[in-house]
Amino acid sequence: EDILRIFPLEEDWYRGFKGSVGAGLSYTKSSDVLTANAEYNLYYVISKWRFRNNFSFISTKTNGEAPSLRIETNFQALYALPHKWVLSEINSFNRNDELAIKARISFGLGGGNNIVQTDRQRLLILTGIMQNSEKNIESKEIVSNFEWPVTIQHTVYSFMRPDLTSAIYLA
């Protein structure tokens, strides 16, 4: 009765990857704006570990100007501990030309608890410490700081027809 969710562990390691891939291209003639985007979300489970990797790329080009880029990727690992507790590790990279961020690299460690964990939903609260290093487009200086983030992840599952999963992340 303590088992609430079972993740399939595949015989072949590469079959454990789950996720989605998307891409798009749009052009608006009236404003001469071309936008290209691509993204993927990968999920991998092995024993007590859960890994998630997300990537997002958006390029916007207007008449006669260099493209504006927004790139974001992150990697998160969660390790299950007894009594609904988890350890967490996250790494991320961001670039956002519109915000003049050439590169922002973040590393963090933390922990949390699955406050609600049933066969239909999970509410996970995470906190920890995160170190950020950021380089602005207009300067050569790298600025570093520490943050104390709190993240709430609520996921609702429906394994009957239709098979749906909905997740909300607040950070």
Side-chain angles (χ1 to χ4, degrees):
E1 69 186 33
D2 290 335
I3 298 174
L4 296 172
R5 191 151 186 229
I6 296 175
F7 292 99
L9 299 176
E10 305 288 346
E11 278 188 40
D12 299 320
W13 67 271
Y14 58 88
R15 295 185 189 272
F17 286 100
K18 309 292 184 222
S20 62
V21 176
L25 186 65
S26 69
Y27 175 73
T28 306
K29 185 177 180 180
S30 63
S31 57
D32 196 26
V33 175
L34 176 67
T35 303
N37 66 297
E39 66 178 39
Y40 71 78
N41 300 294
L42 284 176
Y43 195 81
Y44 189 74
V45 176
I46 183 168
S47 188
K48 293 186 175 200
W49 288 93
R50 286 182 288 166
F51 299 98
R52 188 174 67 210
N53 179 234
N54 300 322
F55 172 80
S56 172
F57 169 87
I58 299 173
S59 174
T60 304
K61 182 164 177 34
T62 57
N63 187 19
E65 294 182 20
S68 172
L69 295 176
R70 194 188 93 201
I71 301 169
E72 181 177 350
T73 185
N74 64 58
F75 174 81
Q76 181 180 30
L78 292 171
Y79 181 77
L81 295 170
H83 307 294
K84 300 182 188 179
W85 290 96
V86 295
L87 293 177
S88 174
E89 180 268 337
I90 190 164
N91 302 312
S92 68
F93 170 82
N94 294 287
R95 176 182 174 144
N96 192 327
D97 292 350
E98 290 180 6
L99 297 177
I101 298 170
K102 185 171 185 173
R104 176 187 295 149
I105 299 172
S106 303
F107 301 97
L109 295 171
N113 189 274
N114 289 291
I115 303 294
V116 175
Q117 189 174 7
T118 69
D119 60 343
R120 298 241 181 236
Q121 66 178 324
R122 182 182 71 173
L123 178 63
L124 172 63
I125 297 179
L126 293 169
T127 190
I129 190 80
M130 184 161 259
Q131 192 273 330
N132 299 306
S133 295
E134 184 175 308
K135 183 172 181 176
N136 193 299
I137 289 175
E138 296 153 358
S139 77
K140 294 184 180 191
E141 185 177 317
I142 296 174
V143 177
S144 294
N145 64 25
F146 286 93
E147 294 179 357
W148 183 16
V150 175
T151 302
I152 299 171
Q153 299 177 4
H154 185 238
T155 307
V156 178
Y157 309 100
S158 171
F159 298 112
M160 302 174 93
R161 292 187 188 191
D163 183 0
L164 297 173
T165 300
S166 175
I168 297 173
Y169 299 92
L170 299 173

